[in-house]
Amino acid sequence: MRADLAIISDWIDTGSRVLDLGCGDGILLAHLQAERGVRGYGLEIDQEKILACIGKGVSVIHADLEAGLRDFADQSFDYVVMTQTLQAVQHTERLLEEMLRVGREGIVTFPNFGHWRCRLQLGGSGTMPVVKALPHAWYNTPNVHLFTIRDFEALCQRKHIEIRQRAMVDTAHRSSPQLRLFPNLLAELALYRLRQRP
Amino acid sequence: MTAPALPADSVGIVTPEKLAFHGPLSLDCGRILPRFDLMVETYGTLNAQASNAVLICHALSSDHHAAGYHSPSDRKPGWWDVMIGPGKPIDTRRFFVVCCNNIGGCKGSTGPASTDPESGERYGPDFPIVTVRDWVRAQALLADRLGIRRWAAVAGGSLGGMQALQWAMDYPERIAHAVVIAAAPRLSAQNIAFNEVARQAIRTDPEFHDGRYYQHGTVPRRGLMLARMLGHITYLSDESMGSKFGRELREGKLGYNFDTEFQVESYLRYQGQAFVDRFDANTYLLITKTLDYFDPAAEHGHDLAAACRQARARFLVVSFTSDWRFSPARSREIVQALVAADRPVTYGEITADQGHDSFLMPIPDYLRTLSAYFDRVHQEIAAHAR
């Protein structure tokens, strides 16, 4: 299993109710169901991925995240999870609000655009970065909002979102002391546990 | 002349069976059917644990003949032949598939054209208005008769999907999966309005004789035909009608008269006329009422989520993008209520331009969704057997 998913799995309480936005092939929910007795639903728009979820016995709901989460009631889930999708949606800010409306907690992961390789490519060669966590060229990338760890934390502060926990991993999806010291420079992937302050 | 061989993935030649139920059946309307018959077809084999049975529920104008052929010379197979058969999504090598004509029907089950044992006359308009709950109650008696304590799945499209939903609420211990396709949790005012126009078309036909046309030796052909033509428009979409007929003229030019000029007119008339030969007007009236009355949330303070909390089944809900009779939004109401009730539900919204009728069509994404789901149902049965 992907290291980021293993970290998320550790953050989620046994028997909780989880909504996974952009759940892909359902690997996280299948794992959480089997290992943590979680009751969950995945939202997905891609037909092939929906079929993969069905094959895993994951409850998957065809939905377009850009339309928001209006079918889901306030605070109706323990966790709303979104892995590596926040940068690929049009209405990033609204979706973040929606996550924390529907979930008591939100868990997001995203590729850090502040990573030194990105900086080197943009600052050095003057081209848009293509790195392992962001493998697409500028003209065919699904990502529409690229941001750094510092950008994200500034947004959380502005929106009164409490950061309950965070984790940073590098290319090999490992953590290290240096990484904890300079996350915005060394982390490829950032993981956050969030809660909306009243 | 030898008949052409049947397709390899067909259940083949099937023979319906009429099962008689002698106990009285209490109906929602307060009346009692002293006895009733159900016309039934089954495909595949019931396993030793009786754990592989799938009930198929039919919609307004279909019946027990869901798959296969009645004779080698049949032009068309059963109404859900795309879904049921060896190697098809509801694979008859794995599942024992059951489909019955519902009470009130006109294909052999007790209905308005049957003889009332009390009066010795045909029921006609005196046949009680039956509800989806009544049907499900009768289907539960059928399950008892077949030795099926719990269905692996109950599945249907449109009104058939409503029966699957009702099963999950009324017999939570007797259904493992509910497959609810192109359905709605209740009819909208617009849906009821269309039904009312259909009913008026039939009831105002001079040959209708207040529903006692059997005794008069007549058939309200005109009314039933109009009802079907109207219904048929709601089963198709603007896109599918456009691509099928467009504004094509039968004679290639305008005739400046009221003959059948556009191809779409000719098609609708054909559909209407063909229907009159195979369907009973009183049954049509009755089932439009069954549709109008369906509202499982009503007895739970009009809270659909509360109604869904009765269920123990896992759900598959499917809708089609071009269906405007029961649009995707109506399916999402069901999904939303199931999520609020914390029930497992998978929802597929299939891109298709064939309108409400999509649920009968071999649309690849639709068939693959059902295949994947029924594979899972099968794996569960196999895991339990070990």
Side-chain angles (χ1 to χ4, degrees), chain A residues 4 7-8 11-12 79-84 86 96 99-100 105-112 147-154 156-157 161-169 183-184 187 189-195:
Chain A
D4 58 329
I7 294 169
I8 293 172
W11 284 352
I12 287 177
Y79 305 93
V80 178
V81 181
M82 186 156 55
T83 62
Q84 302 192 42
L86 199 56
L96 198 59
M99 284 182 78
L100 298 176
E105 259 188 40
I107 295 176
V108 296
T109 79
F110 58 86
N112 174 29
F147 53 99
T148 70
I149 286 170
R150 194 168 288 172
D151 288 329
F152 183 70
E153 295 196 356
C156 290
Q157 193 168 24
I161 293 169
E162 176 196 351
I163 296 170
R164 303 203 70 201
Q165 205 170 352
R166 66 176 200 178
M168 305 293 160
V169 293
N184 201 29
L189 197 66
L191 298 86
Y192 284 85
R193 263 178 86 176
L194 308 169
R195 188 160 63 182

Side-chain angles (χ1 to χ4, degrees), chain B residues 131-204:
Chain B
T131 64
V132 169
R133 286 180 47 160
D134 293 331
W135 284 347
V136 166
R137 216 172 283 141
Q139 289 160 359
L141 294 172
L142 171 62
D144 293 342
R145 174 75 58 90
L146 298 173
I148 296 158
R149 215 205 64 74
R150 185 172 187 246
W151 297 103
V154 177
S158 191
L159 178 55
M162 294 171 178
Q163 292 163 61
L165 189 59
Q166 190 80 56
W167 255 101
M169 290 168 181
D170 289 359
Y171 296 96
E173 308 304 327
R174 299 195 70 177
I175 162 175
H177 292 268
V179 178
V180 180
I181 303 165
R186 69 182 75 83
L187 265 60
S188 67
Q190 189 194 45
N191 294 145
I192 295 171
F194 274 113
N195 281 346
E196 173 56 8
V197 176
R199 282 191 291 266
Q200 285 303 320
I202 294 169
R203 294 173 57 83
T204 55

Side-chain angles (χ1 to χ4, degrees), chain A residues 71-123:
Chain A
D71 284 354
F72 301 92
D74 294 359
Q75 303 291 291
S76 56
F77 284 85
D78 296 313
Y79 305 93
V80 178
V81 181
M82 186 156 55
T83 62
Q84 302 192 42
T85 305
L86 199 56
Q87 79 285 353
V89 294
Q90 199 63 246
H91 306 288
T92 312
E93 186 180 0
R94 202 182 71 194
L95 194 54
L96 198 59
E97 288 166 7
E98 281 283 85
M99 284 182 78
L100 298 176
R101 173 184 67 80
V102 171
R104 293 196 297 104
E105 259 188 40
I107 295 176
V108 296
T109 79
F110 58 86
N112 174 29
F113 204 67
H115 186 260
W116 64 269
R117 279 183 206 276
C118 295
R119 298 190 194 199
L120 198 66
Q121 286 185 31
L122 189 59

Side-chain angles (χ1 to χ4, degrees), chain B residues 115-328:
Chain B
T115 303
D116 180 351
E118 276 161 21
S119 67
E121 293 276 315
R122 302 244 226 164
Y123 279 105
D126 301 327
F127 194 83
I129 302 272
V130 286
T131 64
V132 169
R133 286 180 47 160
D134 293 331
W135 284 347
V136 166
R137 216 172 283 141
Q139 289 160 359
L141 294 172
L142 171 62
D144 293 342
R145 174 75 58 90
L146 298 173
I148 296 158
R149 215 205 64 74
R150 185 172 187 246
W151 297 103
V154 177
S158 191
L159 178 55
M162 294 171 178
Q163 292 163 61
L165 189 59
Q166 190 80 56
W167 255 101
M169 290 168 181
D170 289 359
Y171 296 96
E173 308 304 327
R174 299 195 70 177
I175 162 175
H177 292 268
V179 178
V180 180
I181 303 165
R186 69 182 75 83
L187 265 60
S188 67
Q190 189 194 45
N191 294 145
I192 295 171
F194 274 113
N195 281 346
E196 173 56 8
V197 176
R199 282 191 291 266
Q200 285 303 320
I202 294 169
R203 294 173 57 83
T204 55
D205 186 320
E207 311 283 17
F208 181 66
H209 298 289
D210 289 327
R212 297 185 198 283
Y213 48 90
Y214 316 113
Q215 287 90 326
H216 286 82
T218 61
V219 175
R221 295 184 65 88
R222 194 150 289 281
L224 185 56
M225 180 179 144
L226 281 174
R228 179 62 172 179
M229 286 168 74
L230 178 73
H232 215 88
I233 297 169
T234 71
Y235 305 150
L236 304 180
S237 67
D238 198 14
E239 299 100 294
S240 63
M241 273 191 165
S243 62
K244 218 169 178 174
F245 312 108
R247 292 179 50 84
E248 203 180 316
L249 293 162
R250 296 181 73 213
E251 302 296 332
K253 61 181 197 311
L254 297 176
Y256 296 93
N257 58 40
F258 291 102
D259 292 345
T260 316
E261 291 201 89
F262 291 92
Q263 286 293 6
V264 65
E265 298 174 295
S266 157
Y267 171 80
L268 278 181
R269 286 187 197 193
Y270 170 79
Q271 288 295 334
Q273 274 155 2
F275 189 64
V276 170
D277 295 327
R278 69 176 179 91
F279 214 81
D280 180 70
N282 279 323
T283 288
Y284 200 88
L285 287 175
L286 187 70
I287 298 185
T288 60
K289 274 293 186 191
T290 307
L291 273 161
D292 291 358
Y293 284 8
F294 179 70
D295 187 3
E299 56 192 293
H300 295 273
H302 296 280
D303 179 353
L304 188 61
C308 288
R309 267 181 218 113
Q310 310 298 309
R312 290 289 168 272
R314 302 173 73 90
F315 286 78
L316 172 65
V317 177
V318 176
S319 71
F320 301 93
T321 49
S322 58
D323 185 350
W324 58 277
R325 182 182 173 90
F326 298 141
S327 71

